Amino acid sequence: MPEEPSHALIRVALVEDDEAVRASLRVLIHGANGFVCVSDCATAEEALQRIPLEKPDVVLMDINLPKMSGIECVRRLKAELPRTQIIMLTMYEDDHCVFDSLTAGASGYLLKRTPHAEILEAILDVHQGGSPMTSSIARRVVRAVRGLRAAEPAAASSDLAHVSPREEEILGLLAKGYRYKEIAETLGLSVETVRTHLRRIYEKLHVSSRTEAVVKFLGK
């Protein structure tokens, strides 16, 4: 289970209309070292009132909320709290939901069946600048991204010319939907080394997310 120093607790807010799911997530976060649940909301409207006051580091957001959708809630929260990272935690694998969420400002997309330990890893990951996605979701993103290969091919090729062989290996695994821990295990690296490579990749490709990096890589 991920651990953070006690003085650096990751502040998490929940937006989930299912009371049982919300309670389960609240218990999970409160019981994990390095995390604290600062807010749990049942509706987008409640979230828009409470979360800007709490200023959490990470929000776990459901999509299918009673009135305003989770996607619209993300859009509004990011306008007020641009530094807060949002992970969609939902039942839906629909491509439109995935891309609408990412476009609205979400940094990650997980399915509710994701094991609890991986949810905690994802919160830590997004807090440290990552873009966690369930592997099946990442593969869907990659398939859709391949349709964008014709976009700015010259720029993509120029940027990729500066990527090292090791960085290209990492990009290739990202494009297959591997999580950072899986990349580290595959290449015999530490997770922190993978993160360092990714920061350099983002700088070289002039991007700010995993999805954008994969777009450029597949457009080479």
Side-chain angles (χ1 to χ4, degrees):
M1 184 175 294
E3 294 189 4
E4 285 280 288
S6 58
H7 64 275
L9 294 177
I10 299 176
R11 295 162 51 81
V12 182
L14 309 174
V15 187
E16 166 63 62
D17 66 318
D18 186 311
E19 185 175 351
V21 173
R22 195 168 68 252
S24 175
L25 289 170
R26 185 169 59 244
V27 169
L28 170 69
I29 292 165
H30 274 312
N33 292 329
F35 301 82
V36 60
C37 182
V38 297
S39 178
D40 59 277
C41 306
T43 67
E45 290 78 9
E46 182 185 2
L48 291 172
Q49 288 183 349
R50 295 177 55 190
I51 289 178
L53 300 177
E54 296 288 355
K55 295 182 174 59
D57 300 305
V58 179
V59 176
L60 295 182
M61 175 77 67
D62 189 18
I63 285 180
N64 191 26
L65 297 170
K67 295 180 181 178
M68 182 189 299
S69 75
I71 293 171
E72 180 58 26
C73 188
V74 169
R75 188 174 288 110
R76 297 191 188 191
L77 282 176
K78 288 297 287 186
E80 287 197 58
L81 301 171
R83 299 181 67 180
T84 294
Q85 302 302 311
I86 302 176
I87 299 174
M88 309 308 287
L89 186 62
T90 179
M91 302 279 294
Y92 298 95
E93 290 191 61
D94 177 80
D95 289 350
H96 291 297
C97 288
V98 174
F99 285 100
D100 286 350
S101 297
L102 297 176
T103 300
S107 298
Y109 199 105
L110 302 178
L111 298 178
K112 287 186 178 179
R113 63 174 179 263
T114 301
H116 279 180
E118 291 184 20
I119 291 175
L120 292 175
E121 286 181 7
I123 294 171
L124 180 59
D125 187 7
V126 79
H127 183 56
Q128 295 179 338
S131 299
M133 291 187 196
T134 299
S135 294
S136 61
I137 296 295
R139 285 192 291 270
R140 295 170 82 95
V141 170
V142 168
R143 283 199 298 270
V145 161
R146 285 188 173 128
L148 302 176
R149 285 187 170 187
E152 301 181 355
S157 297
S158 175
D159 289 338
L160 283 164
H162 302 290
V163 172
S164 71
R166 172 64 87 187
E167 290 165 349
E168 189 160 347
E169 279 186 292
I170 291 173
L171 276 169
L173 294 175
L174 275 183
K176 292 178 180 178
Y178 280 47
R179 296 164 55 240
Y180 297 166
K181 184 177 180 181
E182 293 169 332
I183 293 173
E185 291 173 352
T186 299
L187 299 180
L189 304 172
S190 70
V191 173
E192 188 52 43
T193 298
V194 171
R195 292 187 198 282
T196 298
H197 278 301
L198 284 168
R199 283 194 290 271
R200 291 173 182 163
I201 289 169
Y202 290 176
E203 289 174 3
K204 291 177 180 180
L205 298 185
H206 303 102
V207 300
S208 58
S209 72
R210 169 188 184 138
T211 305
E212 291 175 304
V214 170
V215 167
K216 282 207 169 183
F217 177 70
L218 294 178
K220 65 183 180 177

